[in-house]
């Protein structure tokens, strides 16, 4: 069995056997406190202000702000700042492009070799234009419509993405952890990262920056110059993945698995129309030659973080998918065993749910998929009883530090899991709408809404409230419009804060659900959505 590449991506990591440079770009934890790299001029320890003019501002005849090492005007316009060196830096030009031409001599005084050289250059340019064809002309036409004359060299975007993550995303991510995680690494080296993964990582940082700069408005013109880079690097990644998957000898190899895995979660965090099952089903087909995922998780420690990250995401995706359309990495019994064996509240930064409650979510999903019967109703009532018997105080006291944060976390997730259990199982008929369950529903709803307000004011806790807000949103169909607006505002705040689209998708689903006047859990989630990654 080959060992996987030393690559960590997207919060669902291909964990290395030893420490290497890697990226954690999880959809819920690429968080940067509503700031973008363009505004990072207030960090005294890394930024100085000079009276000098950078070479780009001199060229454009602008008043430079003198911020070093990179001038703010260059950052704002998406230009690589050439700096303040004594000598003018060299400028890379596209093939055939010139910045100046010698004065032409009169025709009768032009040497024959000059005429020949100029004719050759003209011929080469014409040939290059003909070879580019309609697609090239269309591409440049689109760029012109977007207000972009040229895309920067790819190396510039790669370096900037690395700097953006290390200076903007990673510090905030690290500061808001509850404990050590296999998923949080700074970016240091790209030498061993497959081309497809590398450009996927670049697209993730650009997408994060776009969402924060536009404040969640997809029609914003603020990021007009940045958006083409996202599609450019995403296209490179797609072509590289197609090449790997298209060859039999590399289809199920390490590079293909890592590349598809990374792209799967990148697309889910960037798209307003996520196709969870389409992507994950394709990934699992590539995984078939590797054997059962439960066996891989047990036998190969370096692969375990990746597989557990996928398992945790899939469990939460099943909660927001139809009861008959759920995804399982393995059979239901093995899924429960693997979660019971390896899941901890600090394992995956996207969610810090107490382990016993996480197992009850798995059980509830299983009961949803089995329909309704007397036996299932008995199991459903027993599940709700176990959830209510959970003690947040006792669980928080078992942690040596951050006990106040752990207590809020435990209380929020107990109320959320209980409410999810009632709402989803009532939707399938597994749980009756009796006076007892309705009282329990109202009690847990009141507690959850009260805790959400408290949790949203706690930075460390706020990062983990996406799923609780979604569950509260389904319950809010019977609440006032004011409460509904609070839920939507909270989800939008998370989307901007985290630089991802799933909270915005969740908000649209809830708005549609409320306006339709429906009440069942499965009426809200009519397709397979992965909204917590």
């Amino acid at each position: 069995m080959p060992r996987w590449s030393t690559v960590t991506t997207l919060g669902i990591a291909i964990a290395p056997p030893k420490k290497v440079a890697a990226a954690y770009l999880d959809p819920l934890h690429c968080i940067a406190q509503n700031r973008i790299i363009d505004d990072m001029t207030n960090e005294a320890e890394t930024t100085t202000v000079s009276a000098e003019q950078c070479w780009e501002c001199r060229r454009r005849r602008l008043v430079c702000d003198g911020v070093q090492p990179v001038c703010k005007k260059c950052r704002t316009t998406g230009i690589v700042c050439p700096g303040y060196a004594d000598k003018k830096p060299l400028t890379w030009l596209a093939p055939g492009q010139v910045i100046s031409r010698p004065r032409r001599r009169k025709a009768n005084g032009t040497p024959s070799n000059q005429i020949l050289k100029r004719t050759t250059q003209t011929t080469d340019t014409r040939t290059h234009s003909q070879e580019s064809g309609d697609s090239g002309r269309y591409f440049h036409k689109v760029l012109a419509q977007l207000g972009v004359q040229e895309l920067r060299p790819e190396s510039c975007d790669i370096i900037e993405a690395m700097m953006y993550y290390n200076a903007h995303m990673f510090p905030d991510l690290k500061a808001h952890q509850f404990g050590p995680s296999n998923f949080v690494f700074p970016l240091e080296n790209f030498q061993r990262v497959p081309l497809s993964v590398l450009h996927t990582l670049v697209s993730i940082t650009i997408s994060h920056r776009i969402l924060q700069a536009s404040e969640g408005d997809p029609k914003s013109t603020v990021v007009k110059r940045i958006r083409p880079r996202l599609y450019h690097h995403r296209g490179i990644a797609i072509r590289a993945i197609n090449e790997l998957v298209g060859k039999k000898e590399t289809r199920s190899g390490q590079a293909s698995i890592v590349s598809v895995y990374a792209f799967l979660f990148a697309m889910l965090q960037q798209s307003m129309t996520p196709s969870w099952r389409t992507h994950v089903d394709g990934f699992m087909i590539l995984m078939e030659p590797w054997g059962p995922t439960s066996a891989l998780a047990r036998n190969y420690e370096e692969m375990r973080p990746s597989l557990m990250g996928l398992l945790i995401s899939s469990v939460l995706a099943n909660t927001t998918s139809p009861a008959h359309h759920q995804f399982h990495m393995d059979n239901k019994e093995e899924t429960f065993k693997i979660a019971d064996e390896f899941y901890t509240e600090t394992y995956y930064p996207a969610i810090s749910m107490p382990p016993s409650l996480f197992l009850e979510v798995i059980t509830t999903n299983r009961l949803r998929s089995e329909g309704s019967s007397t036996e299932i109703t008995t199991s459903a009532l027993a599940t709700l009883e176990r959830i209510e018997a959970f003690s947040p105080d006792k669980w928080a006291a078992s942690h040596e530090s951050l006990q106040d944060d752990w207590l809020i976390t435990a209380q929020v997730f107990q109320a959320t899991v209980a409410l999810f259990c009632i709402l989803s199982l009532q939707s399938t008929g597994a749980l009756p709408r009796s006076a007892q369950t309705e009282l329990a529903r109202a009690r847990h709803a009141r507690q959850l809404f009260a805790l959400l307000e408290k949790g949203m004011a706690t930075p460390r806790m706020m990062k983990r409230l996406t799923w609780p807000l979604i569950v509260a949103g389904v319950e809010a169909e019977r609440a006032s419009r004011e409460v509904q607006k609070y839920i939507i505002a909270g989800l939008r705040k998370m989307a901007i804060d985290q630089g991802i689209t799933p909270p915005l998708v969740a908000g649209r689903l809830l708005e549609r659900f409320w306006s339709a006047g429906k009440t069942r859990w499965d009426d809200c989630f009519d397709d397979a959505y992965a909204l917590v990654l």
Side-chain angles (χ1 to χ4, degrees), residues 418-450:
L419 198 55
F420 164 67
C421 177
I422 296 171
L423 293 173
S424 64
L425 294 180
Q426 283 183 340
S427 179
T428 62
L431 202 60
R433 293 182 178 272
S434 64
Q436 182 179 0
T437 55
E438 288 302 302
L439 285 173
R441 174 179 176 174
R443 182 175 68 255
H444 293 299
R446 285 195 301 271
Q447 183 180 18
L448 178 57
F449 282 114

Side-chain angles (χ1 to χ4, degrees), residues 55-70:
W55 283 99
E56 178 62 19
C57 287
R58 292 184 192 181
R59 184 187 71 80
R60 299 169 63 199
R61 298 180 181 178
L62 299 175
V63 177
C64 183
D65 53 27
V67 175
Q68 297 188 19
V70 180

Side-chain angles (χ1 to χ4, degrees), residues 475-524:
E475 172 63 23
E477 58 86 16
R478 59 171 66 186
S480 66
R481 183 55 185 166
E482 184 179 357
V483 172
Q484 294 175 354
K485 287 181 178 180
Y486 175 82
I487 298 293
I488 297 300
L491 290 169
R492 186 172 181 274
K493 181 179 179 180
M494 287 187 171
I496 297 171
D497 186 51
Q498 299 163 10
I500 59 171
T501 60
L504 296 177
V505 177
R508 290 186 178 185
L509 292 173
L510 290 172
E511 289 276 18
R512 184 189 66 179
F513 175 64
W514 297 329
S515 63
K518 298 182 179 180
T519 60
R520 295 172 60 252
W521 180 274
D522 289 320
D523 290 332
C524 185

Side-chain angles (χ1 to χ4, degrees), residues 225-457:
R225 296 179 62 88
I226 308 174
R227 189 174 286 111
R229 301 183 208 164
L230 169 65
Y231 300 120
H232 179 65
H233 289 278
R234 185 189 290 174
I236 296 174
I238 290 173
R239 290 193 293 273
I241 291 172
N242 283 339
E243 184 175 350
L244 289 168
V245 177
K247 298 178 181 179
K248 185 177 180 180
E249 58 272 19
T250 59
R251 183 170 301 141
S252 294
Q254 300 176 29
S256 294
I257 297 297
V258 174
S259 300
V260 174
Y261 189 96
F263 196 78
L264 158 67
F265 286 93
M267 288 301 296
L268 289 172
Q269 76 165 5
Q270 296 169 12
S271 175
M272 289 299 291
T273 56
S275 301
W276 161 247
R277 287 304 300 268
T278 300
H279 290 299
V280 77
D281 287 346
F283 174 75
M284 294 307 295
I285 291 174
L286 294 180
M287 285 291 296
E288 285 179 357
W290 292 71
T293 53
S294 56
L296 292 176
R298 288 192 178 95
N299 299 331
Y300 295 91
E301 184 177 354
E302 67 273 18
M303 296 174 66
R304 192 177 300 150
S306 302
L307 297 174
M308 285 300 298
L310 181 59
L311 183 146
I312 295 168
S313 296
S314 65
V315 168
L316 295 177
N318 284 342
T319 68
T320 53
S321 299
H324 64 276
H325 196 35
Q326 298 194 4
F327 166 77
H328 299 282
M329 291 174 55
D330 217 320
N331 61 62
K332 297 175 183 178
E333 290 73 19
E334 279 299 310
T335 298
F336 190 92
K337 289 179 182 178
I338 290 296
D340 188 28
E341 190 172 349
F342 296 114
Y343 174 85
T344 68
E345 59 271 20
T346 60
Y347 199 103
Y348 187 52
I351 186 170
S352 298
M353 190 185 302
S356 61
L357 294 178
F358 184 74
L359 295 177
E360 298 301 346
V361 174
I362 296 176
T363 300
T364 302
N365 281 332
R366 177 180 60 80
L367 293 173
R368 290 177 63 214
S369 66
E370 293 177 352
S372 60
S373 67
T374 302
E375 183 179 353
I376 294 175
T377 297
T378 301
S379 298
L381 291 171
T383 300
L384 181 58
E385 184 177 346
R386 290 193 300 270
I387 295 169
E388 293 181 328
F390 172 78
S391 173
D393 294 283
K394 183 177 180 180
W395 186 76
S398 66
H399 294 80
E400 296 181 357
S401 60
L402 303 174
Q403 289 192 7
D404 290 341
D405 286 341
W406 282 123
L407 180 60
I408 297 175
T409 301
Q411 291 171 339
V412 166
F413 280 110
Q414 182 186 33
T416 303
V417 174
L419 198 55
F420 164 67
C421 177
I422 296 171
L423 293 173
S424 64
L425 294 180
Q426 283 183 340
S427 179
T428 62
L431 202 60
R433 293 182 178 272
S434 64
Q436 182 179 0
T437 55
E438 288 302 302
L439 285 173
R441 174 179 176 174
R443 182 175 68 255
H444 293 299
R446 285 195 301 271
Q447 183 180 18
L448 178 57
F449 282 114
L451 289 168
L452 282 175
E453 187 173 0
K454 186 176 182 180
M456 290 293 286

